[in-house]
Amino acid sequence: MASFAFNTSKWVMGIASKLIKSDVRMHNADLISDDMAIIFAVNHFTRLETLLLPYELHKHTGREVWSLAASDLFVGKIGDYLSKMGAISTKDPDRDKVIVHSLLDGNHPWIIFPEGQMIKDKKVVDTGGEFEVFNQGGRRPPHKGIANLALRAEFYRYKLECIYNSPDQEGLEETKERFGIESNEEVESILQKNTVIVPVNITYYPIRARDNAILRLAQTIAKDLSPRAIEELSVEGTLLSADTDIDITFGEPIDIQEYLHEPHYAEIMACGDDLRKLELDPKSLFNEAAELLMPRYMEDIYALTRINYDHIFATLIRHQGNRSFTERRYRNRIFLCIHALMQRGGYHLHELLTDSYKAIIYEDPSPKYREFIDLSVQEGVIKQHGDSFRRDFAKARGKEDFHRIRAIETTHVIANEVEPVEGFSELVKGIAQSSKRDLSFTIRSVFLEEDHSIFEKDYLEFRSEESKPMDVGRPFLLIPDHFKEGIVLVHGYMAAPKEVRALAEFLYEQGYLVYGVRLKGHGTAPEDLARVRWQDWYESLNRAYVVTKSYTDNIIIGGFSTGGGLALMAAGLKQDKIKAVFSINAPMRLRQFTARLAPSVASINTLLQKIKGKPTGWEFVANSPENEDINYQRNPLSGVRELSLTMEALEEHLPNIVVPTLILQGSNDPTVDPSSGMDLFSKVGTSSKVLTYLERPNHGIINGEGAQDVFNRVKQFLDWAKQQEVQGAPRELEDEIRIANLLTETETLPAS
């Protein structure tokens, strides 16, 4: 075998650094130890594995990794590369001898693909769950070559140990010569190793066939590429791109001694027995061990599949039946699949699922989701009718040319990949076929329980003499006997759900379901608020949003002060997923000088605390709230910094608002600069918007004197927004809309 050449071959290093732009991640590499003589049993989907995997394994383990590769690859530069990488052709007559002999010293792990070829359709199990792969127009079981090679290597090691430890060491020199062993020290080193099969799974995400730089280069060089070549380059060239994740996951090593040292195999493990005779007998116990070993590493390989959004979506569509799903129903089911997988445990999940799996149900922009929907429509898997999607049964799946299926039926291939993962397809099928009512109840239970659990945990952790009763800070849900719309209602900074309770009860009396949000860090103690970020506040809004949409598809979001800003942000992100949005005294600028100074002070505090290792004493400033029974009386400067960041983030999303919008602003607000109203109004994207200034001397205009007028303005707007869909703006608001559009930044519109 040629020496491993990563450190000397510039061409090899060029391949690694220039072509591989994808994010390659190794998982569980620490399972590999120095005393192992390893065969890596790897699933085989692309030609990339032959080139990529030895390089990546060398990078992470430091070992010179050799591999079996298809004989037709040993031509030109690719052939030179493979030879330098320690690859051997599948048609080399000495391949088994080379592999078994090198496994004895264990210095060179081997990569072998048990399927024996690329499995382009990713179909590896039959309807009964038995492993089988496509081959020359039919299907066959995977090869047992890996099992046979591992068993032979470990058997030889055992026989060598028998001879070496025998009193007379009869036959030792002959055995050493047979295996190319030069010294007794090398024998002792061999006896310290044990042969293992390490299952390895390579999962690509996303899998797409599209134009790419490598395909274009090939088409420039060769004008008459075959359809098969175009398919391979369109898929595999894309998998090398920067937006692809390649997850390489190692499984628990399978110790071959478990199979050879069982009492059942005592006959072949007796010292002095003739291995060659046993190998020639296909009915021997040695071959029986191989029959048992092959399904084990196949199951382990595919159990390591790293499940991603595409797997769940493709399997949902496969089991959708003749039902029609809206985008919202797909999102709900995708979320529940991920939630159920996490609850069960034991699955390998793509990090995007674990890091942001709730985002799919929050209905904020999801490019991954949109891309898969478009792919499914393009491939004719589903058909769109209005805002609904129905599976298309007209075309039989999986009947395309095996060598073109990755490019033509990508969604089918993706669903095939997770078929062998135990329990996965059954789980997804159950959720795909569940009723809307059952799904809504499950989702509601999950998020209601989580919302209340978060509050109770925070309250117990931060409870102090300053804390208000729990009913002040607990989120609440008001449900009328009959309703069509639901409102997510958000309180302001340093306040609590009780701040919006009066408005919520008014809206409830008008026939709206209302969820009163508790923003994280609020309703407990100032120390709780000091540790959270503004993203935590938006997450709180989203939990309430999910609960509300579990009751109705007609959702409105509204809020007071910072809650109004968050409501507008949500409207910009969710766009047409909601019906309307309203904000009351939402800030774009704050009046108080200390509020403008606070973000920089908070940053200084953070730096000083890191230097000194203890608080500086500047963490809080006194607050004189209008509602002492609700608001905190100390303001964390870190919280004001997050408030400032909220206002910055809000501005980015205002142009994306497409639903009817009410901006209601007090003209003499002592906390929020009144110009905020006009700033917000001018940046909101929709033309169906209303700006109303009210002459009020205070900030908290939704409680106390004059609050009923504010409530009536909100109701008037909601009535108008409801009619927008069918007949446009009613007469009584036309003048206000016209005047609002004429306002300058410094003018106000008095209450009528």
Side-chain angles (χ1 to χ4, degrees):
M1 292 291 292
S3 173
F4 203 87
F6 273 110
N7 294 325
T8 58
S9 172
K10 291 183 179 179
W11 190 76
V12 169
M13 295 304 292
I15 284 282
S17 60
K18 294 180 181 178
L19 291 184
I20 304 172
K21 303 297 184 183
S22 45
D23 185 6
V24 182
R25 288 91 63 95
M26 289 280 195
H27 306 275
N28 305 333
D30 57 346
L31 292 172
I32 300 168
S33 59
D34 292 338
D35 63 346
M36 294 177 179
I38 304 171
I39 296 179
F40 292 108
V42 190
N43 60 312
H44 196 15
F45 179 58
T46 73
R47 296 191 186 275
L48 295 177
E49 286 104 24
T50 308
L51 308 175
L52 171 69
L53 198 55
Y55 172 76
E56 291 296 331
L57 286 172
H58 173 72
K59 233 176 27 170
H60 285 78
T61 68
R63 298 209 199 181
E64 299 180 357
V65 184
W66 294 348
S67 62
L68 270 180
S71 58
D72 59 358
L73 291 176
F74 285 84
V75 292
K77 270 195 170 183
I78 293 292
D80 294 341
Y81 169 77
L82 290 172
S83 296
K84 289 178 180 179
M85 295 287 283
I88 188 170
S89 168
T90 52
K91 292 186 177 179
D92 190 315
D94 294 326
R95 66 173 196 178
D96 288 3
K97 179 180 177 181
V98 170
I99 293 171
V100 172
H101 288 190
S102 65
L103 283 173
L104 282 174
D105 63 33
N107 292 329
H108 300 289
W110 281 87
I111 296 169
I112 302 179
F113 305 109
E115 298 98 337
Q117 64 182 60
M118 288 193 294
I119 307 301
K120 292 186 175 183
D121 63 355
K122 287 187 177 285
K123 182 74 175 174
V124 296
V125 292
D126 61 18
T127 54
E130 298 296 322
F131 284 98
E132 63 172 20
V133 297
F134 179 88
N135 181 251
Q136 298 180 348
R139 294 200 172 265
R140 59 159 174 80
H143 294 313
K144 299 192 299 291
I146 291 176
N148 279 302
L149 290 167
L151 288 162
R152 287 170 62 186
E154 192 59 21
F155 187 83
Y156 285 139
R157 193 187 319 278
Y158 179 73
K159 292 299 182 182
L160 180 60
E161 183 179 17
C162 286
I163 296 170
Y164 188 73
N165 291 332
S166 66
D168 55 7
Q169 293 189 334
E170 182 180 353
L172 179 61
E173 293 305 317
E174 178 186 349
T175 305
K176 286 165 60 176
E177 183 178 352
R178 178 181 181 186
F179 293 125
I181 301 170
E182 297 181 356
S183 67
N184 285 355
E185 288 75 14
E186 190 175 345
V187 172
E188 292 176 357
S189 175
I190 288 172
L191 299 184
Q192 296 301 312
K193 301 288 178 67
N194 66 299
T195 308
V196 298
I197 297 173
V198 176
V200 182
N201 181 277
I202 304 180
T203 311
Y204 302 91
Y205 176 65
I207 297 171
R208 299 291 186 271
R210 56 171 69 120
D211 184 38
N212 60 76
I214 294 175
L215 174 59
R216 289 194 297 273
L217 177 61
Q219 289 173 325
T220 301
I221 297 171
K223 302 295 185 182
D224 56 347
L225 288 176
S226 68
R228 180 171 173 179
I230 292 173
E231 182 274 343
E232 291 194 2
L233 290 169
S234 67
V235 173
E236 299 184 23
T238 301
L239 293 178
L240 289 172
S241 65
D243 61 351
T244 301
D245 296 334
I246 302 178
D247 287 285
I248 302 172
T249 308
F250 297 90
E252 288 285 344
I254 301 171
D255 190 344
I256 304 306
Q257 291 184 13
E258 295 178 12
Y259 288 82
L260 288 180
H261 290 276
E262 287 287 328
H264 183 60
Y265 298 110
E267 177 184 337
I268 64 171
M269 295 305 291
C271 286
D273 199 12
D274 186 354
L275 172 66
R276 284 170 293 186
K277 179 181 177 182
L278 290 170
E279 287 184 313
L280 291 171
D281 179 6
K283 296 182 180 180
S284 69
L285 293 176
F286 187 81
N287 286 293
E288 182 180 323
E291 290 281 357
L292 295 172
L293 184 51
M294 184 272 286
R296 177 174 172 184
Y297 57 72
M298 289 298 295
E299 289 172 4
D300 288 356
I301 290 170
Y302 287 95
L304 297 170
T305 302
R306 202 151 287 267
I307 298 169
N308 56 52
Y309 278 120
D310 283 0
H311 290 137
I312 294 171
F313 210 156
T315 308
L316 271 173
I317 291 175
R318 174 169 287 185
H319 295 295
Q320 179 175 334
N322 199 34
R323 295 176 176 216
S324 177
F325 287 168
T326 63
E327 178 177 329
R328 178 165 288 172
R329 303 296 167 241
Y330 276 135
R331 284 176 176 261
N332 287 351
R333 284 170 166 81
I334 291 170
F335 164 79
L336 280 179
C337 288
I338 301 168
H339 180 74
L341 290 169
M342 295 181 71
Q343 291 292 106
R344 286 191 183 185
Y347 293 96
H348 300 271
L349 305 180
H350 187 278
E351 65 179 22
L352 189 61
L353 291 189
T354 55
D355 292 348
S356 60
Y357 78 102
K358 291 181 181 177
I360 193 73
I361 202 171
Y362 292 160
E363 299 187 327
D364 289 345
S366 177
K368 296 284 188 186
Y369 169 85
R370 190 71 252 168
E371 183 186 24
F372 197 88
I373 278 278
D374 293 342
L375 174 67
S376 301
V377 172
Q378 174 190 328
E379 291 189 345
V381 179
I382 55 177
K383 287 187 175 182
Q384 185 168 3
H385 304 278
D387 63 349
S388 297
F389 301 88
R390 189 180 295 276
R391 187 177 170 192
D392 184 4
F393 289 94
K395 180 181 176 183
R397 305 295 161 190
K399 302 300 183 182
E400 295 290 345
D401 174 12
F402 175 80
H403 294 292
R404 299 178 60 229
I405 195 167
R406 297 182 301 183
I408 298 173
E409 293 190 12
T410 308
T411 54
H412 179 76
V413 170
I414 290 169
N416 285 346
E417 184 174 27
V418 283
E419 276 187 329
V421 180
E422 185 176 0
F424 176 81
S425 293
E426 292 78 6
L427 182 152
V428 177
K429 181 179 180 180
I431 292 173
Q433 298 180 356
S434 293
S435 68
K436 173 184 172 182
R437 180 189 181 104
D438 289 344
L439 291 176
S440 295
F441 178 81
T442 303
I443 289 169
R444 182 185 311 145
S445 300
V446 168
F447 281 89
L448 274 174
E449 180 180 345
E450 181 178 8
D451 216 16
H452 284 269
S453 175
I454 289 172
F455 167 64
E456 290 166 6
K457 180 177 177 294
D458 291 348
Y459 191 87
L460 290 174
E461 181 178 353
F462 292 97
R463 185 175 184 177
S464 67
E465 293 181 355
E466 297 180 69
S467 299
K468 309 299 189 292
M470 290 187 77
D471 64 338
V472 172
R474 185 182 291 279
F476 61 83
L477 177 62
L478 306 178
I479 309 175
D481 291 336
H482 304 285
F483 63 90
K484 290 185 177 180
E485 294 86 22
I487 297 177
V488 178
L489 193 58
V490 194
H491 65 78
Y493 178 68
M494 287 196 298
K498 187 177 179 181
E499 181 180 55
V500 296
R501 183 77 189 212
L503 174 56
E505 290 179 351
F506 170 81
L507 294 170
Y508 164 77
E509 290 169 359
Q510 309 307 310
Y512 292 97
L513 176 147
V514 186
Y515 193 110
V517 179
R518 176 251 173 182
L519 298 177
K520 190 166 177 59
H522 293 77
T524 52
E527 286 75 14
D528 186 13
L529 181 57
R531 65 169 182 145
V532 303
R533 303 172 62 213
W534 73 265
Q535 290 89 343
D536 298 320
W537 302 339
Y538 187 65
E539 179 83 6
S540 301
L541 181 155
N542 272 323
R543 284 194 298 274
Y545 176 77
V546 173
V547 172
T548 304
K549 79 182 179 76
S550 74
Y551 284 100
T552 175
D553 284 336
N554 303 308
I555 305 163
I556 298 156
I557 305 180
F560 169 73
S561 192
T562 300
L566 291 167
L568 291 168
M569 184 188 300
L573 286 163
K574 301 180 194 309
Q575 299 184 0
D576 61 353
K577 306 299 186 300
I578 66 172
K579 297 298 183 183
V581 61
F582 62 89
S583 75
I584 303 168
N585 282 358
M588 282 289 280
R589 295 185 184 85
L590 299 176
R591 277 194 163 181
Q592 297 176 347
F593 173 76
T594 53
R596 294 193 295 271
L597 180 66
S600 58
V601 174
S603 299
I604 294 170
N605 271 338
T606 301
L607 177 62
L608 291 176
Q609 188 165 341
K610 287 181 179 178
I611 296 171
K612 296 182 178 182
K614 59 182 180 180
T616 64
W618 292 356
E619 284 76 21
F620 297 89
V621 294
N623 179 49
S624 301
E626 295 177 14
N627 302 302
E628 294 185 359
D629 62 324
I630 298 173
N631 295 76
Y632 293 151
Q633 295 185 326
R634 287 183 300 131
N635 186 357
L637 295 180
S638 60
V640 181
R641 177 178 58 194
E642 295 303 315
L643 177 57
S644 176
L645 294 173
T646 307
M647 291 185 285
E648 291 178 15
L650 166 61
E651 189 168 4
E652 175 188 348
H653 300 293
L654 290 171
N656 299 322
I657 296 177
V658 298
V659 296
T661 304
L662 169 66
I663 309 293
L664 204 155
Q665 175 65 52
S667 62
N668 297 308
D669 192 325
T671 303
V672 172
D673 190 320
S675 65
S676 294
M678 176 54 74
D679 285 350
L680 291 168
F681 181 81
S682 63
K683 291 180 171 63
V684 166
T686 181
S687 59
S688 299
K689 53 186 177 180
V690 179
L691 171 63
T692 301
Y693 275 84
L694 300 177
E695 289 190 14
R696 297 288 188 276
N698 60 323
H699 175 62
I701 61 176
I702 60 171
N703 287 294
E705 186 179 352
Q708 188 60 47
D709 183 31
V710 175
F711 298 171
N712 290 335
R713 299 274 184 163
V714 172
K715 178 184 181 300
Q716 186 183 24
F717 163 74
L718 293 178
D719 291 342
W720 169 73
K722 198 180 301 184
Q723 296 178 42
Q724 283 285 88
E725 296 183 44
V726 292
Q727 63 183 45
R731 180 68 188 175
E732 61 265 28
L733 283 179
E734 285 183 353
D735 289 342
E736 187 170 32
I737 298 168
R738 179 180 57 79
I739 296 171
N741 277 286
L742 295 174
L743 287 174
T744 67
E745 187 168 312
T746 56
E747 290 176 312
T748 61
L749 178 65
S752 56

